[in-house]
Amino acid sequence: MPQLTWIIALIPFFPLLGFLLNAFLIRNERQAGLVASVMVALSFVVTIASMVILASPLTGQPRLSVMLWEWIRIGSFRVSFGFVFDQLTAVMALLITGVGGLIHVYSISYMRGDIRPVRYFAYLNLFVAAMLILVMADNLLLLFLGWEGVGLCSFLLIGHWFERHSVPPGIVPADAAVKAFVVNRVGDAALLLAMAAIFSRMGSLNFFPNQQLGVPGYLERAGELAFTNLDLGTFGAIGLISAITFLMLIAVTGKSAQVPLYIWLPDAMAGPTPVSALIHAATMVTAGVYLIARNHTLFANAGGTSGWIVAIGLLTAFLAATAAATQWDIKRVLAFSTISQLGYMVVAVGLGGYVAGMFHLLTHGLFKALLFLAAGAIIHGTHESQDMRKMGGLKDTMPTTFRVYLIGALALAGIFPLAGFWSKDEIISHAWFGAQNPGAAILLMLTSGVTAFYVGRQIALVFYGKQRDNTYHAHEPDSTMRNPLLILAGLTIIGGLLNIPGLHFLATYLNPVLEEREVVYDTGRIIGQVALAVVTLAIVGGAGYVGWYLYAKTFVQRIKLGKDDPLVRYLGDLWRGAEIGWGFDWFYQRIVIRPYREVSLFLGDVFDKQGIDGMLVDGPGRLVGRMAQSLRGAQSGFIRSYALMFLVGVVIVLGYFVFRS
Amino acid sequence: MIPTTYFVMLSAVLFTIGVVGVLIRRNALVVFMSIELMLNSANLALVAFAQARQDVGGQVLVFFVIVVAAAEVAVGLALLVAIFHTKRTTNIDEISTLRG
Amino acid sequence: MNSFGIPLLSIATWLPAIGALLMLFVRERSAQRLVALVASLAALVAALVVAVLFFQFLYVSAAATGPQLTEQIGWVPTWGLTYTLTVDGISLWFFVLTAFMMPFAIAATRAQQRPDANYALLLLLETGILGTFLARDLILFYAFFEFTLIPTALLLGIWGGAERNRAATKFFLYTFAGSVFMLLSIIGLYLVHGQQTGTYTFDYAAIAASLNGGAGAVLKLDPAAERLLFGGFFIAFAIKIALWPFHTWMPLLHSQTPADGSVDISAVLLKVIGGYGLIRFTLGLFPQAAQWAAPAIGVLAVIGILYGAWVAYTQQDMKALLAYSSVSHLSFVVLGIYALNAQGISGAIIQLVNYGITTSALFLAVAVLEGRFGTRRPRDLGGLWLVMPAFGAVTLTLVLASVGLPGLNGFIGEFTIIQGAWLSSALGWRFVGVAVIGVILAAVYLLTMFKHVFMGSLRVEQSNSVDISREQMLPLALLLIPIVVIGFYPNLIFDPIQPIVQQISQALSLAVASR
């Protein structure tokens, strides 16, 4: 068995091969989709096999690892290009290849007739490969390769229709693509600094010790960093580990779309819907949560940063939920919803609930992918409308889609016994009992209420009432699109079993990696947890019903394309603020982008051309020119003035000699 | 004997007249004549000192100066004639093409 | 002499010049092109043989400073001048880079008038640049260094754009002024060395050996003198590498170069000379002064990183954009050099090589655009990826390499420099903290440029928009190979340079100790 550990390298290899085939060889749309899906399926199979090997007692090691080659070698600075496969990796890889595979199959039908389907599948495969490299990397630098790799694929796929001037609801794909990459880059820069800091103290970027390279692993030595400080001069000193974790937090904020760097995700909806499902719901955005989970030994030692993580997570969860409640575009609701749910995960890991965070990561991956894919079916079925004001009454014309969407939506709201209920409950319970932070728990419960509200609103707007736009004839998706939906719906229903309180399969499985304290279920805890769950369910049920009722019954006549939401009358500016994502985009546009542009123009045209070049470089040149000009006056061509100068010169020289002696 | 001082003073006066002539006069021929005057004033001083010191070297030097003066006049007048052919003027203020 | 007894270094250096000479005799246009290409490719072959020999020695006999291949002939013995060409860890990759890139420049050039003169000048330039990297005698180095100015100025002045005279003059005078200071330093060093040791020599190895040894050195410079000498060399190379604020000759030059990109590639190599000079001379000869000056230079470098990227954002001329981009990238290199440790210097060397390849490729891509559409303004173009899918993909890869995407060459240099600067005793995390912002800004201006040209709606006439020909694609595709390979296997570059880089960084840390 140990001799087979190398097969883990096949997991990212297959999708990479798929990318190369699709990028250079394949020209046919059908072949492209087939090859891409098969590659991901193969990856999935190898993942399962690797999990079996990992679990097998014959292996004897806590993790499977293979080093492909030595990436960088400068004296003692050594970085490997190697993979590691432990339980945390396994769980992520399952999600990536499993849900990814379903989305690939779905895409075969969804992207039929697209202008460049082969390139789409190439990028999709490349994305899966990069994401797998991210979760399988045995060191931070290789993780970073995957990290930026998924950022690149995000750029490529959001900008898949780069030639279009705008897509609903008015986004320019090319701009959205650049925005995604640049905003992510801010986080990436922070991660670069964190890596430099870690290496400077630990002498290694490897997570675990690597004998071949002769480098230690830094994760188990996190405690060593605890007493090192960075001197910030007038700002005092900051613990190195706090600095590192804070920098990582910034990176997570970018990749996992937290406040204040989430702005790229709503615009990312400009890409094809399966892309939104895969990248912006199930996988890439979860990379941040994975980063924290992987580095939990660092975060456990950095008390100060935890406060920030929780604050950012809570803020993001709540604000994004309110924003989701005000959107008209079906995908934008889901985008803000993703941001909000990521906030839940971030809060969980911030409070040390790594298992809870991973649990929600998995369930969310399932039901959010389901929702996005179902939304894609709706978009296709309603002839490319995305504005919910143009929908309505689809539960009768698209019954299967309605049912799967409902399952996903109820899971999102956190209705018992769907997956989302269990994972959210886990987080809230951990916040209240595990981390002793009732404030966070209450805020999360309120956010769940808002979540349920917008879920109800969306269900009502899309499926209930009468079809408001009659330009299309709604139809169900074909089987290639429908089957993945059904599978995901099934998984959403049973997903809660992964980590049911009491059985806690996931926790047990992840324990070797995450080393979390076991939950002790004494009577107090059981009663408390049930009480919390009941209260949350009540809030959620109530809010959900209100949301549904308002838009299926009360306001149903007042929903018209071009008109505002009826609640604007009561909530006014509050509603409008939420609708524009609480002004972050506006802020960046006015305070960051425009001044940046102005300064750039100033530096280029004025400071550089006239200042540095004009004064410092041309200046001496002009000075010499002017001196020459003035000296030229003496060469008048006037013989008499020459003669005078002779005379004066002679007198001076003779006089010097005469008076010297 | 006439004191050497008088000779030297006369030489100085003549030299000054020559210098002034070079600086002020515009006609090239007059400038040449002034230059000759300067040279001859130098000759006068040389002869006076040769007499005063009873050293014939001064008189030898006078011959050198006369020869140089003659050569210089020859070349200068030739140049002047050439310039006159082109510019049709002997006004040195108008011969300023060699300016900076 | 190397093990075969053949003066490979001299052959590689002078072959292009011989090719230039042959131009006098070749009349027919296509024959001229052939001769030029053959000459430069022959030089490349010689360079590759040298590289292979170097690797052989590296793994067979590891001398303390790493293997060297040297050729030496006496020149003017009474003055201590020798004709010495040496290749060691530091010059190896720059030497190979030049031999590799100049054929691209020659293949790219499209001079309508006097093509023979054009080829000849490019070949002479190649000789000059190769000689600069190999020369080990200070005056010989100076001679080659100055020599490169003449063909460049002529290439610019004869075949350049509308303001070519101004660009050529500014380039020539600015760079020349800098090297005058270097000449003063060379002469000063010669005199000081002679006074203290009795041997008057211009030989670099001899002088370096005399300066070596910390407290027990044969030649001891007092701090003020050392700093002055350091300054002379530094100014020359700072101007050459377009370090802020000595960069303003660059945007003007690149906006006036001929549209085919040949002179741009040559100019790129000239800047690499600047980086080489900083390592070889300012670090190699004056470690204490380098320690003293490092923080200030680090500040200039950090400013350059941000400034270049910031100004590049609103440039309307793609070549000017690449020029400012160069300022930003090369400032990163300078940051790496003055980190004064093995990672920083190694990162700087590999980044110079990367810069040479990636930026040259980008200039070639812009040349394709200008040749096809007659414009270098991104705003005039748009949506080109629609009709030129292969070209778009290649350009995107080049852009990403410049941005520093992991997996491509730029990232390796970037990260090693960041790591080196963080660990540096002279610089430290504060410098790095500001410098990484450059990483963000680079994505901003490069991707925005890509977006304006290749994404969005198609603005130019459809008839002109066929994907690029095989002939135009070939050089770009060839250049992509090292870009990807170095990204995944940079040890190819790092291994040969380690011995000498370690030696330099040890000397630098000794310098701190002995202060």
Side-chain angles (χ1 to χ4, degrees):
Chain A
M1 275 299 198
Q3 301 94 303
L4 283 177
T5 52
W6 61 267
I7 66 164
I8 64 174
L10 287 177
I11 301 179
F13 169 75
F14 282 125
L16 194 61
L17 181 63
F19 162 70
L20 291 172
L21 287 173
N22 271 320
F24 294 111
L25 285 176
I26 300 180
R27 297 272 167 260
N28 177 295
E29 176 184 335
R30 282 213 57 185
Q31 282 173 2
L34 213 59
V35 166
S37 310
V38 163
M39 288 300 167
V40 179
L42 285 172
S43 246
F44 182 73
V45 167
V46 180
T47 308
I48 304 275
S50 306
M51 286 174 75
V52 169
I53 299 179
L54 181 65
S56 146
L58 291 173
T59 319
Q61 293 154 341
R63 63 192 71 90
L64 307 174
S65 55
V66 61
M67 182 172 106
L68 294 176
W69 71 84
E70 198 174 352
W71 195 8
I72 298 180
R73 173 175 55 231
I74 301 177
S76 60
F77 178 48
R78 315 183 79 163
V79 180
S80 65
F81 203 103
F83 298 124
V84 85
F85 191 89
D86 62 8
Q87 288 84 350
L88 182 62
T89 309
V91 158
M92 294 292 300
L94 265 184
L95 179 69
I96 298 166
T97 54
V99 175
L102 289 173
I103 295 179
H104 273 75
V105 170
Y106 176 95
S107 299
I108 296 178
S109 170
Y110 190 86
M111 299 301 283
R112 191 164 296 144
D114 187 74
I115 187 172
R116 51 186 80 89
V118 180
R119 238 194 274 181
Y120 170 86
F121 282 108
Y123 295 153
L124 215 60
N125 261 173
L126 183 65
F127 168 79
V128 172
M131 189 72 202
L132 285 169
I133 292 178
L134 198 161
V135 299
M136 289 179 64
D138 70 353
N139 63 74
L140 261 182
L141 203 66
L142 188 58
L143 186 152
F144 189 71
L145 188 147
W147 185 276
E148 287 232 354
V150 296
L152 168 69
C153 294
S154 193
F155 169 82
L156 293 171
L157 285 164
I158 296 174
H160 179 70
W161 293 311
F162 55 80
E163 73 279 7
R164 292 195 193 170
H165 193 57
S166 88
V167 295
I171 312 171
V172 182
D175 292 343
V178 174
K179 183 176 185 174
F181 196 93
V182 170
V183 173
N184 263 278
R185 257 276 147 144
V186 176
D188 299 347
L191 194 51
L192 278 172
L193 287 177
M195 286 195 279
I198 291 178
F199 183 82
S200 71
R201 279 292 177 269
M202 311 256 66
S204 163
L205 287 173
N206 269 56
F207 298 129
F208 311 106
N210 184 326
Q211 259 114 1
Q212 266 174 292
L213 281 184
V215 297
Y218 76 83
L219 283 182
E220 54 203 17
R221 296 168 54 182
E224 284 179 26
L225 288 172
F227 298 107
T228 330
N229 282 334
L230 277 180
D231 185 23
L232 290 178
T234 44
F235 294 107
I238 177 177
L240 185 64
I241 205 168
S242 295
I244 293 176
T245 47
F246 196 76
L247 287 167
M248 283 189 175
L249 176 60
I250 297 178
V252 169
T253 312
K255 190 66 77 188
S256 294
Q258 300 294 292
V259 162
L261 293 175
Y262 73 84
I263 46 170
W264 62 271
L265 207 146
D267 281 8
M269 299 300 110
T273 311
V275 169
S276 309
L278 181 61
I279 298 187
H280 308 126
T283 49
M284 169 170 141
V285 292
T286 57
V289 180
Y290 169 79
L291 182 72
I292 298 183
R294 176 60 77 194
N295 284 284
H296 65 274
T297 54
L298 290 179
F299 284 92
N301 275 307
T305 321
S306 307
W308 282 95
I309 300 178
V310 174
I312 288 179
L314 286 174
L315 195 64
T316 307
F318 187 74
L319 288 183
T322 56
T326 62
Q327 302 299 314
W328 286 123
D329 184 285
I330 190 174
K331 281 172 64 172
R332 236 168 135 81
V333 174
L334 296 176
F336 278 108
S337 168
T338 304
I339 298 173
S340 175
Q341 295 302 306
L342 286 166
Y344 275 81
M345 294 178 226
V346 168
V347 170
V349 293
L351 291 173
Y354 300 103
V355 174
M358 289 303 298
F359 186 27
H360 198 55
L361 192 155
L362 291 171
T363 59
H364 176 264
L366 290 173
F367 63 70
K368 197 43 84 54
L370 170 63
L371 283 170
F372 266 111
L373 293 184
I378 295 173
I379 294 173
H380 256 21
T382 61
H383 204 63
E384 306 305 318
S385 9
Q386 282 184 214
D387 193 318
M388 296 192 290
R389 289 172 289 194
K390 296 206 274 188
M391 301 177 187
L394 291 181
K395 86 172 187 327
D396 302 313
T397 40
M398 301 174 72
T400 318
T401 313
F402 168 61
R403 274 181 224 123
V404 293
Y405 200 95
L406 190 62
I407 292 173
L410 292 176
L412 171 58
I415 304 289
F416 179 92
L418 298 168
F421 163 76
W422 299 104
S423 55
K424 272 199 203 179
D425 174 67
E426 193 77 15
I427 297 179
I428 295 175
S429 307
H430 179 87
W432 191 290
F433 297 108
Q436 310 282 330
N437 194 336
I442 292 177
L443 202 54
L444 285 178
M445 281 158 59
L446 287 174
T447 309
S448 298
V450 181
T451 309
F453 176 81
Y454 70 69
V455 164
R457 176 177 180 266
Q458 188 174 48
I459 298 280
L461 284 173
V462 175
F463 296 107
Y464 283 82
K466 285 216 311 259
Q467 190 170 316
R468 284 181 283 272
D469 183 354
N470 285 312
T471 59
Y472 60 83
H473 193 67
H475 60 86
E476 290 269 33
D478 64 14
S479 58
T480 322
M481 272 169 63
R482 194 177 47 235
N483 291 335
L485 288 174
L486 293 172
I487 297 177
L488 284 171
L491 287 172
T492 307
I493 296 175
I494 62 170
L497 289 174
L498 260 183
N499 205 36
I500 275 194
L503 289 175
H504 276 289
F505 294 120
L506 187 66
T508 322
Y509 188 65
L510 289 177
N511 195 41
V513 184
L514 295 176
E515 300 160 328
E516 240 179 275
R517 252 178 310 144
E518 273 286 338
V519 180
V520 174
Y521 279 110
D522 58 9
T523 341
R525 173 80 189 235
I526 298 180
I527 296 179
Q529 200 157 333
V530 169
L532 267 184
V534 166
V535 171
T536 315
L537 258 182
I539 297 176
V540 160
Y545 184 73
V546 167
W548 172 82
Y549 190 85
L550 278 179
Y551 290 91
K553 302 278 186 245
T554 327
F555 296 141
V556 69
Q557 298 301 327
R558 290 196 257 166
I559 312 289
K560 236 190 242 5
L561 191 61
K563 280 184 72 176
D564 275 333
D565 194 294
L567 280 182
V568 173
R569 232 181 68 181
Y570 307 101
L571 295 172
D573 282 333
L574 223 58
W575 188 271
R576 294 216 191 284
E579 200 174 350
I580 59 165
W582 299 108
F584 280 93
D585 261 320
W586 172 90
F587 176 83
Y588 286 121
Q589 191 63 32
R590 288 293 296 276
I591 311 289
V592 177
I593 298 177
R594 220 189 289 169
Y596 183 77
R597 196 193 170 73
E598 296 296 314
V599 173
S600 175
L601 285 170
F602 169 75
L603 285 179
D605 292 336
V606 178
F607 188 77
D608 208 59
K609 274 215 182 61
Q610 297 171 17
I612 298 183
D613 204 33
M615 288 203 309
L616 296 179
V617 177
D618 290 347
R622 272 199 304 273
L623 188 67
V624 170
R626 257 175 279 176
M627 270 175 20
Q629 191 79 339
S630 52
L631 284 177
R632 204 171 292 148
Q635 298 293 309
S636 56
F638 221 41
I639 301 182
R640 288 199 286 161
S641 55
Y642 292 166
L644 181 59
M645 282 195 271
F646 281 2
L647 181 66
V648 169
V650 167
V651 168
I652 291 176
V653 172
L654 279 180
Y656 169 72
F657 280 111
V658 164
F659 288 113
R660 192 170 70 138
S661 47
Chain B
M1 294 265 42
I2 309 174
T4 326
T5 332
Y6 292 160
F7 282 110
V8 174
M9 280 201 302
L10 176 60
S11 168
V13 168
L14 287 175
F15 189 87
T16 315
I17 296 173
V19 168
V20 170
V22 166
L23 290 180
I24 295 193
R25 297 303 294 257
R26 263 175 281 176
N27 191 311
L29 287 166
V30 176
V31 169
F32 277 120
M33 288 197 286
S34 310
I35 295 175
E36 285 305 300
L37 191 52
M38 291 199 296
L39 285 167
N40 286 312
S41 72
N43 285 342
L44 180 59
L46 279 167
V47 168
F49 281 115
Q51 162 72 11
R53 289 161 175 261
Q54 290 296 307
D55 179 358
V56 83
Q59 297 182 12
V60 172
L61 204 47
V62 168
F63 280 106
F64 275 106
V65 174
I66 292 173
V67 165
V68 167
E72 168 243 317
V73 163
V75 172
L77 283 177
L79 277 176
L80 186 60
V81 167
I83 293 177
F84 184 76
H85 272 316
T86 0
K87 290 253 173 187
R88 304 238 70 106
T89 176
T90 51
N91 184 338
I92 57 170
D93 282 351
E94 293 177 26
I95 309 173
S96 58
T97 30
L98 219 56
R99 61 150 51 110
Chain C
M1 283 290 167
N2 59 56
S3 58
F4 294 139
I6 311 171
L8 273 175
L9 295 177
S10 297
I11 290 179
T13 310
W14 294 105
L15 258 178
I18 296 175
L21 200 63
L22 287 177
M23 283 301 152
L24 285 175
F25 306 108
V26 180
R27 286 283 148 247
E28 215 233 302
R29 243 173 210 251
S30 49
Q32 286 166 351
R33 191 175 168 81
L34 191 66
V35 169
L37 277 173
V38 166
S40 56
L41 285 173
L44 174 61
V45 169
L48 287 174
V49 173
V50 169
V52 167
L53 283 175
F54 193 87
F55 267 90
Q56 235 187 16
F57 287 147
L58 177 73
Y59 293 117
V60 167
S61 79
T65 58
Q68 298 185 56
L69 303 172
T70 310
E71 293 155 24
Q72 192 162 38
I73 313 173
W75 192 4
V76 185
T78 37
W79 290 344
L81 286 178
T82 49
Y83 171 87
T84 316
L85 297 181
T86 311
V87 67
D88 66 2
I90 299 182
S91 38
L92 175 72
W93 289 121
F94 299 136
F95 173 60
V96 173
L97 174 74
T98 309
F100 179 68
M101 291 308 305
M102 282 311 288
F104 284 98
I106 291 175
T109 191
R110 300 257 177 285
Q112 292 300 326
Q113 302 131 313
R114 307 293 328 269
D116 54 345
N118 191 296
Y119 288 123
L121 285 171
L122 283 170
L123 288 169
L124 286 174
L125 185 57
E126 179 170 3
T127 297
I129 301 177
L130 288 170
T132 326
F133 287 127
L134 296 179
R136 236 10 128 252
D137 178 283
L138 290 179
I139 291 292
L140 185 66
F141 172 81
Y142 182 78
F144 275 117
F145 188 79
E146 291 299 281
F147 179 66
T148 59
L149 295 184
I150 302 169
T152 315
L154 285 173
L155 283 166
L156 197 55
I158 301 178
W159 292 277
E163 284 183 64
R164 59 186 180 277
N165 285 323
R166 197 161 78 89
T169 317
K170 178 174 277 188
F171 162 75
F172 188 89
L173 288 177
Y174 205 159
T175 335
F176 193 71
S179 27
V180 166
F181 288 104
M182 178 169 73
L183 183 62
L184 289 175
S185 280
I186 291 178
I187 295 177
L189 192 57
Y190 172 80
L191 291 173
V192 168
H193 184 266
Q195 279 164 9
Q196 284 202 21
T197 64
T199 333
Y200 282 89
T201 176
F202 283 106
D203 182 42
Y204 175 85
I207 298 179
S210 307
L211 284 168
N212 205 5
V218 179
L219 172 61
K220 283 202 256 291
L221 298 168
D222 82 304
E226 187 183 8
R227 288 170 195 180
L228 270 178
L229 293 173
F230 169 88
F233 280 102
F234 176 75
I235 282 284
F237 299 123
I239 294 177
K240 202 75 170 179
I241 203 174
L243 178 68
W244 192 90
F246 307 112
H247 64 283
T248 50
W249 57 270
M250 231 221 303
L252 184 61
L253 180 136
H254 279 294
S255 60
Q256 298 305 316
T257 49
D260 50 45
S262 55
V263 183
D264 297 297
I265 297 179
S266 318
V268 161
L269 293 170
L270 289 181
K271 286 168 242 166
V272 175
I273 295 180
Y276 165 77
L278 285 174
I279 301 176
R280 169 74 70 204
F281 296 102
T282 62
L283 293 191
L285 294 177
F286 310 112
Q288 284 101 328
Q291 286 277 356
W292 162 78
I297 299 176
V299 169
L300 289 181
V302 169
I303 294 179
I305 295 173
L306 300 178
Y307 188 91
W310 206 329
V311 177
Y313 179 56
T314 49
Q315 289 303 307
Q316 286 311 306
D317 176 343
M318 277 192 276
K319 276 196 182 173
L321 187 149
L322 286 176
Y324 280 107
S325 171
S326 301
V327 172
S328 188
H329 282 94
L330 292 169
S331 297
F332 238 108
V333 169
V334 174
L335 189 71
I337 296 176
Y338 284 95
L340 304 179
N341 53 28
Q343 282 102 324
I345 300 175
S346 303
I349 292 178
I350 202 176
Q351 198 65 335
L352 279 170
V353 171
N354 292 336
Y355 168 76
I357 302 175
T358 311
T359 313
S360 297
L362 279 169
F363 273 114
L364 284 177
V366 173
V368 167
L369 285 172
E370 189 173 3
R372 184 73 74 81
F373 302 109
T375 176
R376 290 200 307 255
R377 296 169 56 94
R379 299 275 175 184
D380 289 346
L381 302 164
L384 288 181
W385 210 357
L386 199 57
V387 288
M388 304 174 87
F391 182 57
V394 167
T395 312
L396 180 62
T397 314
L398 296 174
V399 162
L400 290 170
S402 198
V403 160
L405 188 79
L408 299 174
N409 57 0
F411 171 69
I412 303 291
E414 214 169 68
F415 185 72
T416 11
I417 291 176
I418 286 177
Q419 185 70 74
W422 186 292
L423 289 168
S424 162
S425 51
L427 298 178
W429 61 270
R430 289 174 186 81
F431 287 87
V432 182
V434 184
V436 284
I437 299 179
V439 159
I440 306 172
L441 301 185
V444 172
Y445 73 81
L446 279 166
L447 285 178
T448 307
M449 176 185 87
F450 181 79
K451 179 185 81 171
H452 281 140
V453 175
F454 288 96
M455 300 174 123
S457 24
L458 199 56
R459 238 178 276 238
V460 293
E461 265 216 22
Q462 290 279 126
S463 58
N464 254 340
S465 322
V466 174
D467 210 351
I468 61 171
S469 59
R470 283 248 171 79
E471 191 196 85
Q472 280 181 315
M473 178 64 110
L474 184 64
L476 293 173
L478 280 175
L479 288 171
L480 276 180
I481 298 175
I483 288 178
V484 175
V485 168
I486 295 178
F488 282 101
Y489 198 67
N491 287 332
L492 198 63
I493 310 276
F494 282 137
D495 282 341
I497 66 179
Q498 281 317 298
I500 191 152
V501 168
Q502 296 289 348
Q503 187 200 28
I504 294 182
S505 68
Q506 266 162 25
L508 286 164
S509 31
L510 267 180
V512 182
S514 65
R515 265 213 290 184

